[in-house]
Amino acid sequence: MRVALFITCVNDTLFPGTGKAVVSLLRRLGCEVDFPAAQTCCGQMHVNTGYRTEGVRLARHFTEVFAGYDAVVAPSGSCAAMVREQYPKLARPGSRGAAAIEEVAPKVYELSEFLIDVLKVDDVGAYFPHRVTYHPTCHSLRGLRLGDRPLRLLRNVRGLELVPLPGAEECCGFGGTFAVKNPAISAAMGADKTRNILDTGAEVLCAADNSCLMHIGGTLGRQRAGVRAMHLAEILASTEEAR
Amino acid sequence: MSATFLGMPGNFPKNSEKAVQNSQLRFNLRKATHTIRGKRASVVGELPDWQELRAAGKAIKDHTLRNLDRYLLQLEDAVTTAGGAVHWARDAAEANRIVTELVKATGEREVVKVKSMATQEIGLNEALAQHGITAYETDLAELIVQLGDDFPSHILVPAIHRNRSEIREIFLDKMPGVSADLTDDPPALTEAARLHLRERFLRSKVAISGANFMVAESGTLVVLESEGNGRMCLSLPETLISVVGIEKLLPSWRDLEVFLQLLPRSSTGERMNPYTSMWTGAVEGQDFHLVLLDNGRTDVLADEVGRQALRCIRCSACLNVCPVYERAGGHAYGSVYPGPIGAILTPQLRGMSSELDASLPYASSLCGACYEVCPVAIDIPEVLVDLRAKAPHAAAEKAGMKVAGWVLDDHERLAKAQRAASRLRKVVPRRLPGPLSAWTDTRDVPEIPEEPFRDWWKRTGGGASEEAE
C-alpha cells in the first residue's frame, strides 16, 4: 500500500512537530509514508473566504500531487473534510477535474480514521502520563463524523487520564479567516472554550486540528493559563523512550 | 411603533463587537439558547424516525419550490372558491399598498396583528402608520418589542434580549392602564399583558396575520402559536388580511403530517404547540384577504445553491444552536431574519450592496451546527460559502489573498516564504500588523519553527537519518 503524507500548509509552516510525530508513529506501526514535495495546500482558506478561483487552482494541484496513492494521511480534520466533502462540489460534473477528484478524494484520511479504519489499530502503544481533555473540532465532528475514533485511541494511551470536556461540541471560534474577520465573536467563543477546558483541570488540551489548536492554544497562552495545546499525533507518537 | 430594519447601518463585525460586551444580553442569550437546545434535543430524540421526517420535509419543500407556479395558482383557485380574495404583491411597496387600501376600505384606523415575520420584513406597521393606521402587536414578545420601540432580535422569541425587569419597566412606562405596583414576576407580567390585549381583541375589527403554511389543495392557511393571540385575531375580527411569503406553500393537506411534527419540536422544543389554527377562505361574516408576497423570493428561487434557503419553516432551531448568534444577538445582523438562516436569506433577498448585507455571509465560523438541526436540511454552510464567492471583496483583502494564493501555488515559492519566516522567528512582534492585529489583540501567536516540515523531511530523509543515531 502506497501511503502519502499530506502535511497541510499550517503544519508544514508552523507545526512541523506534528508531521514528525505522524511519520514516527506510522513508522512504529510498520507504515512508511511518502512525502511528495510538490504538495502545498488544500485550498480551504481561499474557497471558504470566497476566492473560489484560487481555491480551485489549489484543489487541482492537490489532485495532481496525490494521484496514484492508495491512501493519503492528513493530520487535520478540516483539510481532510475539505478534500472529501467540498472538492466534489468544485468541479463541473463529468469534467476531467471531477474525475480526478473522484479518484483522489475518497483516499484522503484524517489521522485517526487512517489508524482505526485502515491500519485497524486502536492501541498504538503510546505512553503519555498526563491529564488530557479532547476537543472534537467541527469538521471532525460534523464533516468527517469521526465519532469516538480519537477517544478510543486516547483511552488506550498508557498513563493518560482522559477527562470529558463540557460543551465539547461547541465551536472553538477559529473558523479560518473568521478569526480575524469577526475577531470579537471569535474571542468570545475562545473565551468560553478555554473556560470549559480549565474547568476540567486538564494539563493538556488535545485536538486533531492545529488550526483550531492555534486559536485555543493562543487564547490559553494569552491568559497564561498554563495548559498545553497538543495535536493528537504528538500524544500518540509519545512513548516511554521518546517524549 | 416598532422601528424598521430597512437601511440599517454598520456591519456585522462592528455591531457584534458592541453586543459581545453587553453582559445582560450575553446572559439572556446564553440562558435561553442553552435551555431550548436541551429541550429540542430531548423531544427530537424521542422520535426514532426524525431523520426520515427531515428528509420528507426537505423533499416536499423542494418539490413545491420546483412547481411553485402551479401550486400558487391552485392555491389562488382554492382560496377564491372558499370565499377569500387573493392579491399578488411583487415587492414590499406593493404589499404595503395593498394592505393599506384593504384596511382603509373598512374605515378602521386600528388593526391587531398576529406575529408575522413577513410583515416585519416589509415594514408594514410603519407603512400603515404613515396613513394614520395603528397596528397593535398581540404576540407577547412582539408587544414587548413594540412598546419598547425596539427591534425584534429572534425569529421565534423576538424579545429574547429583554429580561423580566426590563419588561416590567417597559410595561410601566408604555402600557396604558397598567397597575403601578406591577412586579417582574412572570405570571404578573403575563396577566398584565392579557388584560391589555383582551381589550384590543374585543375592540378590533381588522386583523393582520402571516401564516406558517398554506395548503394549495384546499386553500387552507395554518398558524402555529403558543399564546392564543393568533386564535383571537383570526376568529374575532370582521376582516382578516394574511400576508404570506410564496415559499410557505405545501401541496396537500397530508403534507401537514410531516411539518406539524417537524416545526414544534424544532422551534419551542415541544411535542406540539398549544394552538394550531387553520382556516379555509372566509368564514361567514368575515372578509378574508390573502396577500401573496414575493419581495425577492423568486430571485432566490433562481439560484441553484441559494434556493434551499426557501425551504425554511422559520423554526429558529439554527439560531438556538449557533455559537455566533448566542454571542452577538439578533440586532447585530440588522435584519428581521438574524442568525444562520438570516445570514443566507437576508443577502439573497436584499442583495449585498450594503456593507451590512455583504458582511452577513461571513458572520459564521462554518461550524455546521445549524445544518445539523435544520428540520428541512438546509445546508447553511454550503450557501454561506457560495454567497462569500459572490460577495464584494475589499481591495486590500483581495490583494492579500492573491499573494497567498500565488505563494501556495508553487512548492518552491512556499518553501522560500517559509524559510524567510523561520529566519525572522526571533523578531515576531507581539502585535501583528494590519488585519492580523485582530489575531494578536486576544491571542498569542505560535512560535515559528526553525525549519518547515518539508525542509526537515529533505534534510533527514523523513527522519530516517535522525532515527539511525
Side-chain angles (χ1 to χ4, degrees):
Chain A
M1 187 175 60
R2 284 190 71 219
V3 182
L5 170 66
F6 172 47
I7 186 62
T8 80
C9 65
V10 167
N11 289 330
D12 190 12
T13 310
L14 294 171
F15 304 101
T18 295
K20 294 179 200 174
V22 172
V23 173
S24 137
L25 168 66
L26 293 180
R27 182 169 288 142
R28 192 168 85 220
L29 297 173
C31 178
E32 286 296 327
V33 296
D34 281 355
F35 178 75
Q39 63 182 274
T40 55
C41 167
C42 70
Q44 187 186 180
M45 178 180 72
H46 282 87
V47 171
N48 285 350
T49 310
Y51 296 84
R52 232 182 113 103
T53 314
E54 288 88 341
V56 166
R57 202 160 51 227
L58 291 166
R60 186 178 301 122
H61 182 66
F62 182 98
T63 60
E64 285 162 4
V65 169
F66 291 102
Y69 283 99
D70 300 307
V72 180
V73 185
S76 163
S78 66
C79 301
M82 176 69 195
V83 177
R84 293 227 301 267
E85 310 284 310
Q86 293 222 63
Y87 272 22
K89 298 181 193 174
L90 294 179
R92 231 185 326 262
S95 65
R96 251 208 331 259
I101 289 168
E102 222 169 301
E103 170 64 38
V104 173
K107 298 177 181 156
V108 176
Y109 297 89
E110 178 277 336
L111 177 66
S112 69
E113 288 181 316
F114 185 73
L115 292 169
I116 294 199
D117 298 350
V118 180
L119 294 188
K120 309 249 192 268
V121 292
D122 60 9
D123 187 335
V124 300
Y127 173 71
F128 190 74
H130 301 274
R131 176 185 278 195
V132 176
T133 193
Y134 176 77
H135 167 62
T137 77
C138 300
H139 285 104
S140 301
L141 182 65
R142 298 185 190 94
L144 300 175
R145 302 211 168 272
L146 293 187
D148 69 349
R149 287 181 185 81
L151 295 172
R152 280 166 59 190
L153 291 161
L154 288 170
R155 280 190 199 111
N156 284 324
V157 175
R158 271 182 9 268
L160 190 153
E161 183 196 353
L162 185 62
V163 290
L165 177 65
E169 306 200 337
E170 292 163 25
C171 177
C172 72
F174 174 66
T177 49
F178 175 82
V180 291
K181 288 172 74 97
N182 272 288
I185 301 289
S186 175
M189 290 164 75
D192 286 336
K193 182 58 69 177
T194 55
R195 178 180 45 183
N196 282 331
I197 291 165
L198 294 174
D199 279 350
T200 65
E203 183 201 327
V204 176
L205 181 259
C206 173
D209 251 301
N210 274 321
S211 42
C212 307
L213 284 174
M214 205 165 48
H215 164 75
I216 306 171
T219 308
L220 286 165
R222 178 61 58 93
Q223 294 171 10
R224 306 294 189 258
V227 173
R228 184 164 43 138
M230 269 182 91
H231 191 281
L232 177 67
E234 296 179 39
I235 291 180
L236 297 179
S238 192
T239 57
E240 258 142 344
E241 297 76 27
R243 281 204 274 136
Chain B
M1 209 56 54
S2 92
T4 180
F5 279 103
L6 308 172
M8 280 288 276
N11 58 45
F12 187 81
K14 278 204 201 94
N15 298 342
S16 56
E17 165 90 53
K18 286 221 303 273
V20 125
Q21 305 280 42
N22 181 337
S23 61
Q24 177 70 82
L25 178 68
R26 292 288 300 273
F27 182 85
N28 289 3
L29 286 170
R30 188 187 159 86
K31 187 151 178 275
T33 57
H34 283 238
T35 305
I36 209 163
R37 276 177 214 177
K39 287 176 84 173
R40 180 207 160 268
S42 174
V43 294
V44 163
E46 283 179 353
L47 296 181
D49 59 349
W50 180 255
Q51 293 304 329
E52 282 92 325
L53 277 169
R54 269 182 103 209
K58 171 178 185 247
I60 294 168
K61 279 284 178 176
D62 280 346
H63 165 79
T64 309
L65 290 169
R66 191 139 301 195
N67 297 279
L68 201 56
D69 52 347
R70 173 159 62 94
Y71 287 121
L72 282 170
L73 291 173
Q74 188 187 14
L75 174 77
E76 179 183 44
D77 217 44
V79 171
T80 313
T81 306
V86 178
H87 313 260
W88 299 69
R90 180 164 311 151
D91 54 27
E94 196 172 2
N96 288 333
R97 199 180 59 240
I98 292 169
V99 175
T100 306
E101 294 306 310
L102 289 171
V103 176
K104 275 192 178 153
T106 68
E108 296 295 314
R109 296 172 69 78
E110 280 184 359
V111 305
V112 282
K113 282 193 65 199
V114 187
K115 179 175 179 306
S116 159
M117 304 306 304
T119 62
Q120 273 169 328
E121 177 191 327
I122 63 177
L124 178 64
N125 294 5
E126 292 70 32
L128 290 171
Q130 281 176 1
H131 292 267
I133 298 163
T134 311
Y136 292 106
E137 297 288 348
T138 63
D139 176 275
L140 178 56
E142 291 288 6
L143 173 67
I144 292 164
V145 168
Q146 184 173 53
L147 290 177
D149 204 17
D150 194 1
F151 298 108
S153 71
H154 188 286
I155 286 171
L156 193 75
V157 286
I160 198 175
H161 56 291
R162 296 282 193 201
N163 67 13
R164 56 160 97 166
S165 69
E166 288 176 304
I167 294 168
R168 172 181 167 272
E169 301 274 316
I170 290 168
F171 283 5
L172 282 173
D173 207 20
K174 298 286 184 58
M175 187 180 277
V178 79
S179 160
D181 55 7
L182 178 70
T183 66
D184 67 4
D185 192 35
L189 292 170
T190 313
E191 185 61 18
R194 281 187 78 227
L195 293 173
H196 168 76
L197 290 170
R198 184 58 59 111
E199 249 199 285
R200 297 241 183 263
F201 296 142
L202 295 175
R203 235 178 39 211
S204 205
K205 305 260 198 297
V206 182
I208 298 174
S209 82
N212 291 98
F213 306 106
M214 305 186 285
V215 179
E217 172 184 68
S218 54
T220 305
L221 268 64
V222 184
V223 161
L224 279 74
E225 51 151 345
S226 301
E227 295 161 24
N229 59 301
R231 183 63 62 79
M232 293 286 197
C233 293
L234 296 168
S235 54
L236 289 175
E238 293 163 8
T239 303
L240 173 61
I241 303 164
S242 299
V243 180
V244 189
I246 55 177
E247 84 282 25
K248 295 300 192 69
L249 210 36
L250 294 177
S252 72
W253 181 261
R254 180 129 187 234
D255 297 322
L256 289 172
E257 172 195 319
V258 169
F259 290 93
L260 292 181
Q261 292 187 74
L262 289 174
L263 183 50
R265 290 179 197 254
S266 301
S267 60
T268 49
E270 298 172 296
R271 293 178 187 134
M272 182 52 68
N273 52 290
Y275 300 92
T276 298
S277 300
M278 302 176 178
W279 68 103
T280 304
V283 297
E284 202 179 301
Q286 190 192 57
D287 275 332
F288 172 59
H289 296 270
L290 170 59
V291 180
L292 294 169
L293 178 69
D294 182 348
N295 204 28
R297 285 153 175 75
T298 46
D299 287 337
V300 179
L301 191 57
D303 190 301
E304 275 184 37
V305 177
R307 64 171 65 124
Q308 56 188 300
L310 294 176
R311 287 188 215 135
C312 179
I313 59 176
R314 307 287 192 270
C315 71
S316 77
C318 60
L319 272 70
N320 297 332
V321 293
C322 179
V324 174
Y325 175 85
E326 183 190 338
R327 293 167 178 86
H331 292 167
Y333 296 77
S335 165
V336 301
Y337 306 116
I341 185 62
I344 64 171
L345 197 52
T346 306
Q348 291 195 83
L349 291 176
R350 300 207 296 219
M352 290 191 278
S353 53
S354 80
E355 207 192 322
L356 176 68
D357 291 334
S359 73
L360 291 179
Y362 293 92
S364 166
S365 65
L366 302 178
C367 82
C370 51
Y371 181 19
E372 249 188 358
V373 300
C374 177
V376 286
I378 302 171
D379 188 345
I380 296 177
E382 178 183 56
V383 184
L384 286 168
V385 171
D386 189 69
L387 286 169
R388 291 175 185 191
K390 296 173 172 138
H393 299 305
E397 186 193 88
K398 237 195 283 203
M401 292 299 272
K402 222 180 153 112
V403 169
W406 178 76
V407 171
L408 291 167
D409 262 345
D410 180 284
H411 69 281
E412 306 255 302
R413 228 178 271 150
L414 175 59
K416 279 205 186 82
Q418 289 167 332
R419 284 171 210 139
S422 287
R423 274 198 296 276
L424 295 170
R425 58 195 289 261
K426 297 277 195 260
V427 294
V428 172
R430 242 198 90 99
R431 184 156 215 276
L432 290 174
L436 295 178
S437 66
W439 182 277
T440 47
D441 279 346
T442 55
R443 290 157 284 223
D444 288 350
V445 281
E447 235 190 83
I448 300 181
E450 276 177 21
E451 63 182 345
F453 177 85
R454 59 180 64 246
D455 284 356
W456 170 82
W457 179 278
K458 208 159 139 194
R459 184 172 60 78
T460 66
S465 67
E466 274 182 356
E467 300 205 359
E469 284 157 23

